[in-house]
Amino acid sequence: MKSKIEKNMENAVKFYVYKAFKILGYIILGVCIAFLVGYIVMRLWNWLMPDLFGLPQIDYWKALGILLLSKIIFGFGGGGGDGRSKNKKSKNKNRVNACSKMRKDFSQWKHYDEFWQAEGEQSYLDYVKKLNTENSSENPAS
């Protein structure tokens, strides 16, 4: 029988071998995707650019070069660099400050429901009645 230490070592080796194969698989997948994207760029270039702009056709390696150059110039995607995150943080701080100012004034609204039931509803009905009488006096035909 295997001892507990041997089982633990065997499990650790299996874990690290699994991790190594997983990493190797991701690397191979990434390389395959890079080659596929280069091929797609080449096909699109050769399909569109000679007819639209009179440019020459390119081979696979030139397509990869154009793709790499465009990624260097326009960025690799992924979003949210340092500049953007700083702007978001400062905007959030402004929102928090604005909300805290409103919260200070919100304490004055604690009796709003009572006021509306006692006086507000009747005042609103009086206002609507006044508007109706004004409209009927302006339009005697109706």
Side-chain angles (χ1 to χ4, degrees):
M1 272 187 107
K2 294 183 180 179
S3 69
K4 190 174 185 179
I5 295 173
E6 290 174 339
K7 287 181 183 178
N8 285 342
M9 287 183 66
E10 187 176 309
N11 287 340
V13 169
K14 285 181 183 179
F15 174 75
Y16 287 116
V17 168
Y18 171 75
K19 281 285 212 182
F21 276 111
K22 193 174 180 181
I23 290 171
L24 182 63
Y26 282 128
I27 289 172
I28 291 171
L29 180 66
V31 169
C32 290
I33 289 174
F35 279 111
L36 180 66
V37 169
Y39 180 75
I40 291 171
V41 168
M42 179 191 73
R43 296 294 294 190
L44 285 172
W45 179 282
N46 291 338
W47 176 48
L48 294 172
M49 295 306 213
D51 291 337
L52 293 176
F53 302 110
L55 297 173
Q57 290 191 354
I58 59 173
D59 62 357
Y60 175 78
W61 296 107
K62 287 181 183 175
L64 272 181
I66 290 171
L67 182 65
L68 182 64
L69 181 64
S70 67
K71 288 295 180 182
I72 290 171
I73 292 173
F74 299 113
F76 286 89
D82 289 332
R84 292 181 186 172
S85 63
K86 288 179 185 175
N87 290 338
K88 287 180 183 177
K89 287 179 184 176
S90 64
K91 287 180 183 177
N92 287 339
K93 284 182 183 178
N94 291 338
R95 287 183 191 155
V96 169
N97 290 339
C99 289
S100 63
K101 290 176 185 175
M102 283 189 270
R103 284 187 192 130
K104 291 176 187 173
D105 296 334
F106 192 71
S107 63
Q108 298 172 359
W109 288 79
K110 61 186 174 185
H111 301 293
Y112 176 78
D113 290 333
E114 295 172 16
F115 167 78
W116 182 254
Q117 288 176 353
E119 297 180 23
E121 194 167 356
Q122 186 57 46
S123 298
Y124 174 72
L125 293 174
D126 293 341
Y127 176 74
V128 170
K129 188 176 181 180
K130 180 179 126 185
L131 286 177
N132 287 337
T133 57
E134 286 177 2
N135 286 339
S136 64
S137 66
E138 289 176 5
N139 300 327
S142 52

